């Protein structure tokens, strides 16, 4: 038996259907490339939305809102002490990060891998890997090795406007195949402590170079770079299920 809806019920049904259609249309371009794991959004136009978020704003002159400042105040303490997801609506939002050279050394021993850096946050691991036949010093944008941030100031890569997709590509794969990304992911999960839930791997040369800068800055503390890091990983791993647990 077919039931026909009339009056208010019919209007509500049509409104819900229209809203669902708009939602699907609006999200259709906001996805990671299915062929390039850890290589960012396929649609460059969608990447800019991350830089308009107040929590991703490094330069206070651009209008950092109180919410971000309050969140950082609530998370103050020794680096890499958190063990729970900070924001269930954003799998990448982190408040602490630390390098793990031991796991990085294991990855560098894999066939086809030149070098690796591993950053651990509260529940995630991020791997910047250089594969054989690639040289990030030549392939990456020179801006990725500049624009330092210290406790005394500095706008960082995105606060200066240099990190936007129009200037720096976050979609280059650096030669990373799904099979190699999965091999690295499994190695990290077997080596890292149990709180690490997801592993994200990228050979994007710009990502590699910026992470290398963090490694050089680690002696001064990585806290000043947290906001920038949260921005960058949104670009490189917007919704990349290919390298997740």
């Amino acid at each position: 038996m077919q039931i026909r809806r009339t009056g208010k019920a019919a209007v509500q049904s049509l409104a819900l259907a229209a809203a669902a259609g708009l939602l699907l249309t609006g999200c259709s371009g906001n996805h990671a490339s299915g062929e390039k794991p850890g290589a960012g959004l396929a649609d460059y136009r969608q990447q800019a939305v991350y830089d308009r978020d107040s929590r991703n704003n490094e330069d206070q002159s651009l209008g950092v809102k109180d919410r971000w400042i309050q969140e950082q105040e609530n998370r103050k303490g020794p680096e890499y002490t958190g063990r729970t997801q900070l924001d269930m609506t954003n799998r990448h939002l982190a408040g602490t990060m630390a390098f793990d050279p031991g796991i990085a050394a294991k990855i560098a021993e894999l066939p086809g891998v030149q070098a690796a850096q591993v950053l651990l946050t509260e529940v995630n691991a991020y791997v910047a890997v250089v594969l054989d036949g690639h040289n990030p010093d030549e392939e990456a944008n020179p801006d990725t090795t500049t624009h330092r941030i210290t406790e005394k100031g500095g706008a960082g890569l995105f606060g200066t406007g240099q990190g936007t997709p129009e200037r720096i590509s976050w979609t280059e794969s650096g030669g990373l195949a799904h099979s190699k990304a999965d091999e690295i992911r499994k190695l990290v999960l077997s080596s890292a402590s149990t709180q690490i839930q997801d592993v994200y791997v990228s050979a994007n040369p710009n990502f590699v170079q910026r992470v290398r800068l963090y490694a050089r800055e680690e002696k001064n503390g990585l806290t000043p770079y947290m906001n920038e890091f949260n921005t960058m990983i949104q670009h490189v791993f917007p919704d990349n299920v290919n390298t997740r647990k």
Side-chain angles (χ1 to χ4, degrees):
M1 180 178 66
Q2 184 177 7
I3 300 176
R4 297 183 60 186
R5 297 185 178 183
T6 59
K8 184 177 180 180
V11 173
Q12 289 176 335
S13 298
L14 288 172
L16 288 172
L22 288 173
L23 180 61
L24 290 173
T25 302
C27 295
S28 60
N30 191 8
H31 59 83
S33 171
E35 299 179 356
K36 298 186 293 183
L41 286 171
D43 190 337
Y44 282 86
R45 294 169 300 176
Q46 295 290 337
Q47 296 190 51
V49 300
Y50 297 118
D51 294 324
R52 290 201 293 268
D53 189 330
S54 63
R55 71 175 67 234
N56 292 335
N57 190 344
E58 285 73 41
D59 188 346
Q60 292 190 5
S61 68
L62 299 178
V64 177
K65 296 181 180 180
D66 288 340
R67 176 182 176 186
W68 171 257
I69 297 173
Q70 291 171 359
E71 287 176 349
Q72 295 309 298
E73 286 293 326
N74 294 336
R75 297 172 190 160
K76 278 187 174 180
E79 290 191 2
Y80 193 48
T81 58
R83 292 293 182 270
T84 58
Q85 185 72 42
L86 297 175
D87 185 343
M88 296 307 295
T89 66
N90 180 352
R91 69 170 66 93
H92 291 300
L93 181 61
T96 59
M97 63 178 174
F99 282 93
D100 192 314
I103 299 178
K106 292 181 181 180
I107 296 172
E109 294 176 355
L110 294 175
V113 177
Q114 289 186 47
Q117 297 278 3
V118 177
L119 270 171
L120 303 180
T121 64
E122 286 81 6
V123 293
N124 295 334
Y126 297 91
V127 182
V129 62
V130 181
L131 303 177
D132 288 347
H134 290 268
N135 185 352
D137 291 332
E138 297 178 355
E139 298 171 8
N141 187 310
D143 282 323
T144 56
T145 59
T146 60
H147 306 296
R148 295 176 59 244
I149 308 175
T150 69
E151 296 288 357
K152 296 182 180 180
L157 192 60
F158 295 94
T160 58
Q162 299 303 309
T164 60
E166 292 78 11
R167 294 178 177 270
I168 293 180
S169 173
W170 302 107
T171 63
E172 297 173 28
S173 68
L176 182 63
H178 289 295
S179 57
K180 181 58 67 176
D182 192 53
E183 182 181 9
I184 294 171
R185 177 188 63 82
K186 290 177 180 177
L187 189 156
V188 173
L189 285 173
S190 66
S191 304
S193 52
T194 55
Q195 82 271 4
I196 298 302
Q197 300 173 8
D198 296 319
V199 179
Y200 299 85
V201 186
S202 178
N204 177 285
N206 295 309
F207 176 69
V208 169
Q209 289 295 77
R210 198 58 180 175
V211 171
R212 283 178 168 178
L213 181 140
Y214 296 159
R216 294 193 294 271
E217 296 283 286
E218 187 178 23
K219 62 181 181 296
N220 300 318
L222 296 174
T223 299
Y225 287 98
M226 282 308 313
N227 200 6
E228 177 188 280
F229 178 72
N230 284 330
T231 303
M232 180 173 65
I233 57 179
Q234 291 272 15
H235 285 303
V236 182
F237 308 104
D239 191 23
N240 193 347
V241 298
N242 298 311
T243 56
R244 296 188 64 228
K245 181 177 178 181

